[in-house]
Structures are given as C-alpha cells and as structure tokens.
Amino acid sequence: MPATPNALAAAHRARTIATIARTRAASPAPIPNAEGRAALARIADHLDVAADSLETEEPGQWDGIVITNTMDWNASHALRTADEIAAAHPAIGFPPRFSQYVTAPVYGNEVDLPPSLLPGGPVLIAREGDLFARLLTLHGHLRLMPPARDTTVFLEGAFTLHWKHALLTASEAVKTDRPCNRPAVPAAVEIATPGTPIALRRAHDAYGPTVTYGLTGRHLPCHVSDEGVTHIAVRMVSHLGTTIATCDDDSHRNAAAVAARELYDSLG
C-alpha cells in the first residue's frame, strides 16, 4: 500500500527544509561559523532520513481503515534528533521545534513561534511583533493547504523570518552586553542585621535606598550550580524593603542589588 497523502505532504516539507538547511550552510555569509554549517548539514541529513521513511513506510490499518495520523519510528526519531541539533545551535536560525512544520500534515499540530525576546523597548517590540505577525500569516496558509499542494514557497518564507528573528536575537544580545547598556549596580550599604521590618525601614531612612546585611539562622538558596548543587545565601540585599537573598560572591551580590531594585520598580 502506498504512503498516505498526509505522509507524502510531510515528506515534501522535510525535503524542502533540508534544501533550506543545505543552502544556508553552503553560504559563508549568513553562517560564518563552521560549527553552525555542520549543524545545518546534519539537520538536512536527518530530514532526508525522515522523508525517505515517510515516503516508503506502509501505513497501518484498523478494521480495514487506513491510519493517516501516525508516523513510524525512523521518521519520528530523525525529526527529534534534528530538533535537538537546532535547539543546541540557535544561531543557525532554525527554531528549536521546527519539525512541527513537517509533522503538521500528519498530526494536525500547530507550529510554535520562536521564543520571544521579551523586549523592553518600543522599537524592538515593533520589530519582533512584525516578524511574529508575518510568521502567523504563513502558518495560517500552511494549515489550510490540502496535502497535495506544494508548500515550498511558504516554508521558504517562514524560515527566512526565523532567520531574521535569530539575527534580531543576536543583535539584541550584543547590545545588552555593551557596558553602556548594562543596568547600573546600586551601591549597597552594609548595615547590621535588622530585627524587624520597622528597623529595616529606619535603616533605609538612614543609609539610603539599597542596603545589605547578613542572614542569621536562615537557609535561603542563592543559586543552583551547573552541577545541581544549591548554594546557600548568607546575606540579604534590600532596596527600599524589597529583598533578594544572595551569597558573598561579588557578581551575585551585584546581581541581587539590581534585581531588588527592578523588583521594587515593577511593584510600583
């Protein structure tokens, strides 16, 4: 029994995206990093495996009815692996679950937007919002197309927008990391540990908006290391009564001071 129209539509999408990946990998301009180009080539290879399996695997049946909403293990595994590679290399411009474009004809699933930058400025909000609106329009066209239709143009348009979003993400990261754009660290004055909220309020009146003091008999966490070890906080940073626990590491204390101030501001 030949593959179902849904499976053939998914195979076509897999081959189209494989071509997009190889085209992007072949040009040093968009992907100057050799590791990124290698990741794209591996993604394309896995997409070919998925397409081959979708085109050749006989569909299952139940009481004589052909099952059209399942995918065999080889195709599913190849697509999962391709997603994992994309998630590990965000600079290539493929969203972390791009295989949703492939599986949609089979499963009827929606396609997620890439993770938002959660931008704080009106210009960046507008730029990302425009990209998301155009992506949603393409997703709508893809969702409504019958399996036999050629989806190449819409997929190419979608992955061009994903690439633009990746570039926007990279440019925002560079801008944020510039010294002039980093939030200023408020000076935290060392005080004796206040015994009551009233004592803390009086300390702010005397020493300024941001103070820090040692913790006694407390076991609040500061952070969890990459190895999964919880580091215990030994002091508190307070910005006008809004507190963040921290350890004595200078970078953590500075981050806590910034976080306390931002939390206070967010509370109005």
Side-chain angles (χ1 to χ4, degrees), residues 223-231:
H223 70 288
V224 179
S225 71
D226 293 339
E227 294 77 24
V229 178
T230 299
H231 289 242

Side-chain angles (χ1 to χ4, degrees), residues 12-13 16-17 20 101 134-146 149-162:
H12 167 73
R13 293 185 179 206
T16 299
I17 299 171
I20 293 170
Y101 285 103
R134 291 157 67 188
L135 266 173
L136 288 171
T137 299
L138 290 173
H139 291 175
H141 287 305
L142 288 166
R143 183 172 57 252
L144 296 174
M145 291 184 73
R149 287 286 302 276
D150 187 341
T151 54
T152 299
V153 172
F154 291 124
L155 289 170
E156 289 176 343
F159 277 81
T160 296
L161 293 174
H162 282 299

Side-chain angles (χ1 to χ4, degrees), residues 192-255:
T193 302
T196 65
I198 294 176
L200 178 59
R201 195 156 53 240
R202 289 172 178 167
H204 281 298
D205 291 339
Y207 299 106
T210 306
V211 298
T212 180
Y213 52 89
L215 292 171
T216 58
R218 304 282 291 276
H219 300 283
L220 297 176
C222 172
H223 70 288
V224 179
S225 71
D226 293 339
E227 294 77 24
V229 178
T230 299
H231 289 242
I232 301 301
V234 297
R235 65 176 49 255
M236 193 74 80
V237 176
S238 172
H239 185 82
L240 295 174
T242 302
T243 57
I244 299 289
T246 180
C247 62
D248 262 334
D249 181 277
D250 287 343
S251 63
H252 291 181
R253 290 181 65 179
N254 291 342

Side-chain angles (χ1 to χ4, degrees), residues 94-185:
F94 275 43
R97 296 190 63 194
F98 77 89
S99 70
Q100 291 175 331
Y101 285 103
V102 179
T103 59
V106 176
Y107 297 144
N109 58 267
E110 297 293 331
V111 180
D112 295 335
L113 293 174
S116 175
L117 297 174
L118 300 176
V123 174
L124 194 57
I125 289 172
R127 291 178 66 186
E128 185 177 58
D130 174 64
L131 290 175
F132 282 176
R134 291 157 67 188
L135 266 173
L136 288 171
T137 299
L138 290 173
H139 291 175
H141 287 305
L142 288 166
R143 183 172 57 252
L144 296 174
M145 291 184 73
R149 287 286 302 276
D150 187 341
T151 54
T152 299
V153 172
F154 291 124
L155 289 170
E156 289 176 343
F159 277 81
T160 296
L161 293 174
H162 282 299
W163 172 241
K164 290 182 177 181
H165 189 265
L167 292 177
L168 186 63
T169 302
S171 65
E172 180 64 13
V174 170
K175 185 176 74 173
T176 302
D177 195 50
R178 291 172 182 160
C180 61
N181 292 322
R182 295 174 193 154
V185 178

Side-chain angles (χ1 to χ4, degrees), residues 7 49-60 69-80 106-107:
V49 170
D52 288 341
S53 187
L54 286 163
E55 291 166 344
T56 59
E57 185 71 19
E58 291 192 9
N69 63 346
T70 61
M71 193 175 293
D72 69 278
W73 186 89
N74 287 334
S76 298
H77 178 70
L79 292 175
R80 282 196 302 270
V106 176
Y107 297 144

